[in-house]
């Protein structure tokens, strides 16, 4: 005579399998959360640099508006040497935005002077270059 097979014996180990599946699902969710946090940190860093560039541009334009006699001395080519009027601002800007590349074009027009300002930076090595461009006019 055969021993009867109990239905409870057939299900031994099912709870362990369910726990294993739930641990795998939890691990995938945690990896996703970590990836999301890394992306948000990157976006926060980029936003901080963009805010610094905006404030630096505003400060330079304010300085130039108050020093209209020397507007031509604020011009700076990419990689060029700044004149004395621009050095303090450039030093402050490159401290706030590491490895910033700054270009300032000053173009006299009829009754105003056009100022094209570009501040570019790369947040990490091999990353995409970000930039902040602004065009403003200083009236004579």
């Amino acid at each position: 005579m055969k021993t009867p097979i109990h239905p409870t014996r057939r299900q031994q180990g099912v709870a362990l399998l369910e726990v294993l599946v739930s641990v795998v699902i939890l691990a995938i969710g945690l990896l996703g959360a970590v990836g999301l946090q890394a992306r948000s940190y990157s976006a926060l860093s980029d936003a901080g640099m963009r805010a610094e560039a905006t404030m630096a541009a505003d400060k330079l334009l304010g300085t130039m508006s108050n020093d209209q006699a020397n507007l031509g001395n604020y011009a700076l080519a990419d990689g060029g040497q700044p004149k004395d009027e621009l050095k303090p601002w450039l030093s402050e800007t490159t401290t706030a935005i590491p490895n910033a590349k700054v270009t300032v074009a000053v173009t006299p027009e009829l009754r105003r002077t056009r100022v094209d300002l570009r501040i570019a930076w790369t947040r990490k090595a091999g990353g995409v270059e970000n930039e902040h461009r602004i065009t403003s006019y200083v009236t004579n």
Side-chain angles (χ1 to χ4, degrees):
M1 178 164 176
K2 293 184 179 182
T3 55
I5 298 176
H6 300 290
T8 56
R9 285 177 81 61
R10 278 192 236 165
Q11 293 197 9
Q12 282 181 334
V14 171
L16 185 61
L17 185 60
E18 289 174 352
V19 168
L20 182 63
V21 169
S22 64
V23 167
V24 168
I25 291 172
L26 178 66
I28 290 170
L30 287 175
L31 284 173
V34 168
L36 185 62
Q37 185 169 0
R39 282 182 178 240
S40 67
Y41 177 75
S42 174
L44 180 65
S45 179
D46 285 342
M49 294 285 192
R50 193 165 304 280
E52 289 291 342
T54 302
M55 289 185 294
D58 188 46
K59 185 173 183 176
L60 178 63
L61 291 171
T63 302
M64 291 175 76
S65 292
N66 290 325
D67 190 19
Q68 292 185 13
N70 298 312
L71 286 179
N73 293 337
Y74 289 94
L76 179 66
D78 191 21
Q81 289 296 319
K83 295 195 175 162
D84 290 339
E85 290 82 359
L86 192 62
K87 281 182 182 179
W89 175 84
L90 187 60
S91 174
E92 184 180 328
T93 301
T94 53
T95 300
I97 305 170
N99 301 320
K101 297 180 211 168
V102 177
T103 304
V104 182
V106 179
T107 310
E109 294 182 355
L110 185 57
R111 284 186 233 149
R112 61 187 184 181
T113 302
R114 178 181 169 147
V115 179
D116 293 302
L117 173 63
R118 177 182 180 265
I119 302 173
W121 67 92
T122 305
R123 194 175 55 78
K124 60 182 178 181
V128 177
E129 183 177 76
N130 296 302
E131 69 177 6
H132 180 72
R133 287 181 180 259
I134 190 166
T135 298
S136 184
Y137 295 91
V138 178
T139 57
N140 299 338

